[in-house]
Amino acid sequence: MRTRTLAALVALLAPASLPAQPATADRPNVVMIFCDDMGYGDVGCFGAQGYATPNLDRMAAEGARFTDFYVPCPACSGSRAALLTGCYQERVGIPWVLGPKWKIGLAHSETTMAETFRSAGYATGMAGKWHLGARPSQMPIHHGFDEFLGLPYSGDMWPYHPEHPKGYPPLPLIEGDRPIAEVTPEIQKTLTTRFAARAVDFIKRNKDRAFFFHLAPNMPHVPLFVRDDSRGESGAGAYGDVIREIDEAVGSVLQAIRDEGLDEKTLVVFTSDNGPWLSYGDHGGSAGPLREGKGTCFEGGVREPFIARWPGKIPAGLVQRQPAASIDLLPTFAAIVGAKLPELPIDGLDVRPLLFGEPGAESPRESLFFYVNGDLQAMRSGKWKLMFPHDARTMRGQTPGHDGVPGKYGNLKVGLELYDLDADVGETRDVAAEHPDVVARLQKAADAIRARLGDKRAGFEPTEVRPAETATD
Ligand code: MG
């Protein structure tokens, strides 16, 4: 209770720097939809097979589709920390996945995307999965969101886990910063619909003032659940049913925006936190033509489908092939709505020229880096992808799981490997020996980031890392 009172007091003492005003065609509402474990190949317009995603496909046809959009971390917490701070996850001290009993969470000294919108006078709300701290004082309402309905962490960290039923405490459904129910299988079935309904409700309640809503479905992360009346509707099994429900949720949000006459005043973006969880076989997604999946820094782990729609600003049918990343969304949104950037240094860059399809626009970033829990594992620069030596998990030669029970990963020794993504998006042919100059140039850029953000495996201590926070409640 004490933290809640304090937070309320702080909000009173520090009013939004701009007064609440309605969104306009130049200063739009923003809805950010961020799925969990969705593969690059899980959306129709990105090549999904066996089921349809008509709402996402229409959203892309009316807006833009990015073919080379990345997250800097191939797992939940790190990817969400990066998204919401505009920083590499290493910089903000959330390098990997937080456990449900941990007291570690995103530091309150970080400026989140929600706080950035709030400083510009926006109403802010969130529904879905958080995973940046599980204690009451760490919930989204203490990081800039006016309201929150959702899960504190992943939907499989619960007593119904097929392999670790005794390893997890009850999974709470949270409203604000308090549990309102223990999540049972019956409740899981309703969550995608329930979170989307909260988004729709928020849009209707805030239609007369500018708003930012973060919809973070806990699907298609295992365990897979849909409403009873959705089962079998995709004709493509449990995974197809889940994607169909996510697509339906996106459709309901877009319809609400249309119904309120906010189409031209609302930017909607859609993507996911990391690639498919391949060990789950038929309950995991597809990376399409990309190699490997979640937990690895091959393209399948870190390249995500990305769709953005803002009629009148984003040209309909734009296909953007320049690289961009989730860390770019905060500074890009801030530039669009006229909000100040966070005081502390961030890594994201303003990619408005890519979003708006300006002719000849190029990625403002020389290199993008991919870390796994303190180890720099890969980087992309232009068409090149350089992998650094490490052990990765792989399902190659392994037996995938089925019906919600995972298979076992094998181990893959990754060397210093170079891939030409223009010629070989599947990262099948290591061309390091043919391009020693490229390898040397990229290694130099990697050493520069190692000196700042560290690299445990290579023996670099970080100099610019800001620690996460340990809760006292
Ligand atoms: Mg995830």
Side-chain angles (χ1 to χ4, degrees):
M1 279 315 287
R2 188 160 170 269
T3 41
R4 189 185 231 172
T5 314
L6 266 178
L9 197 61
V10 167
L12 276 176
L13 291 172
S17 60
L18 287 175
Q21 293 170 328
T24 66
D26 291 318
R27 193 166 171 273
N29 306 303
V30 176
V31 176
M32 180 172 75
I33 306 170
F34 198 67
C35 291
D36 198 358
D37 292 10
M38 179 176 270
Y40 188 77
D42 283 347
V43 177
C45 58
F46 282 83
Q49 303 287 321
Y51 54 81
T53 57
N55 291 296
L56 285 164
D57 295 355
R58 189 169 64 155
M59 183 180 160
E62 293 171 349
R65 182 169 79 81
F66 280 50
T67 61
D68 293 52
F69 188 88
Y70 290 92
V71 291
C73 175
C76 300
S77 302
S79 184
R80 285 154 206 272
L83 173 79
L84 290 178
T85 63
C87 294
Y88 284 115
Q89 65 279 6
E90 307 298 318
R91 183 181 294 286
V92 294
I94 312 276
W96 198 233
V97 178
L98 302 179
K101 295 176 186 169
W102 298 10
K103 291 196 161 191
I104 300 287
L106 183 66
H108 288 82
S109 49
E110 297 297 337
T111 303
T112 66
M113 189 184 282
E115 288 163 327
T116 299
F117 277 105
R118 184 183 267 179
S119 76
Y122 276 58
T124 58
M126 174 175 178
K129 172 169 148 178
W130 172 239
H131 216 167
L132 290 175
R135 307 301 302 165
S137 65
Q138 297 170 324
M139 288 296 125
I141 62 165
H142 303 296
H143 283 285
F145 289 97
D146 301 337
E147 56 183 85
F148 171 64
L149 169 70
L151 305 181
Y153 40 78
S154 297
D156 67 334
M157 294 172 166
W158 68 336
Y160 303 89
H161 193 285
E163 293 184 309
H164 315 290
K166 292 187 178 150
Y168 295 114
L171 173 64
L173 180 65
I174 308 269
E175 176 79 63
D177 59 7
R178 299 288 146 182
I180 53 169
E182 182 189 337
V183 177
T184 59
E186 282 304 309
I187 288 181
Q188 280 263 20
K189 290 178 185 176
T190 69
L191 290 182
T192 302
T193 309
R194 197 163 174 168
F195 295 152
R198 175 57 64 93
V200 168
D201 176 57
F202 181 90
I203 290 165
K204 291 183 184 297
R205 276 188 281 123
N206 290 284
K207 64 180 190 298
D208 295 325
R209 59 175 294 196
F211 61 78
F212 165 61
F213 196 84
H214 178 26
L215 174 59
N218 59 308
M219 295 284 140
H221 189 299
V222 290
L224 302 182
F225 281 97
V226 291
R227 300 186 314 268
D228 287 336
D229 67 298
S230 281
R231 282 191 75 175
E233 285 294 301
S234 72
Y239 197 84
D241 289 348
V242 164
I243 300 289
R244 198 200 68 84
E245 243 187 31
I246 289 171
D247 184 72
E248 181 186 76
V250 171
S252 71
V253 168
L254 293 174
Q255 188 61 46
I257 290 166
R258 205 168 293 129
D259 289 347
E260 299 303 335
L262 297 172
D263 247 358
E264 265 112 51
K265 299 175 186 169
T266 307
L267 165 61
V268 184
V269 302
F270 175 93
T271 188
S272 180
D273 66 339
N274 54 255
W277 203 341
L278 298 178
S279 62
Y280 277 87
D282 62 348
H283 279 215
S286 163
L290 308 181
R291 180 171 173 183
E292 304 294 346
K294 172 176 179 170
T296 83
C297 293
F298 287 101
E299 293 289 287
V302 292
R303 196 194 288 213
E304 286 295 324
F306 179 86
I307 302 170
R309 179 184 184 272
W310 182 9
K313 288 287 182 193
I314 298 176
L318 173 68
V319 178
Q320 181 53 262
R321 300 190 184 280
Q322 285 287 312
S326 59
I327 51 176
D328 300 331
L329 294 178
L330 186 154
T332 302
F333 293 160
I336 288 172
V337 308
K340 271 201 307 194
L341 285 177
E343 304 253 322
L344 296 169
I346 66 168
D347 300 293
L349 298 169
D350 176 4
V351 294
R352 278 176 299 168
L354 303 184
L355 190 62
F356 298 153
E358 289 175 12
E362 289 187 9
S363 172
R365 178 179 286 104
E366 184 67 31
S367 302
L368 183 67
F369 300 93
F370 304 100
Y371 274 89
V372 166
N373 206 8
D375 294 339
L376 180 64
Q377 292 196 347
M379 65 181 287
R380 176 168 177 176
S381 182
K383 67 174 183 174
W384 302 108
K385 177 87 174 283
L386 185 65
M387 305 295 296
F388 300 106
H390 66 273
D391 287 341
R393 65 190 196 184
T394 183
M395 287 306 291
R396 285 185 182 184
Q398 303 294 116
T399 307
H402 56 88
D403 295 333
V405 179
K408 294 259 179 292
Y409 278 106
N411 187 59
L412 181 69
K413 292 272 178 213
V414 181
L416 186 68
E417 299 168 8
L418 183 71
Y419 296 98
D420 175 350
L421 295 177
D422 279 357
D424 177 26
V425 78
E427 297 170 291
T428 61
R429 201 169 83 80
D430 171 19
V431 295
E434 295 155 48
H435 300 280
D437 52 327
V438 175
V439 173
R441 177 168 63 81
L442 269 51
Q443 290 261 45
K444 205 172 157 200
D447 280 345
I449 197 83
R450 286 177 173 127
R452 290 155 55 200
L453 301 185
D455 182 355
K456 279 192 293 192
R457 182 174 291 265
F460 283 75
E461 286 294 326
T463 56
E464 293 184 10
V465 164
R466 308 191 290 257
E469 215 165 71
T470 304
T472 52
D473 59 345

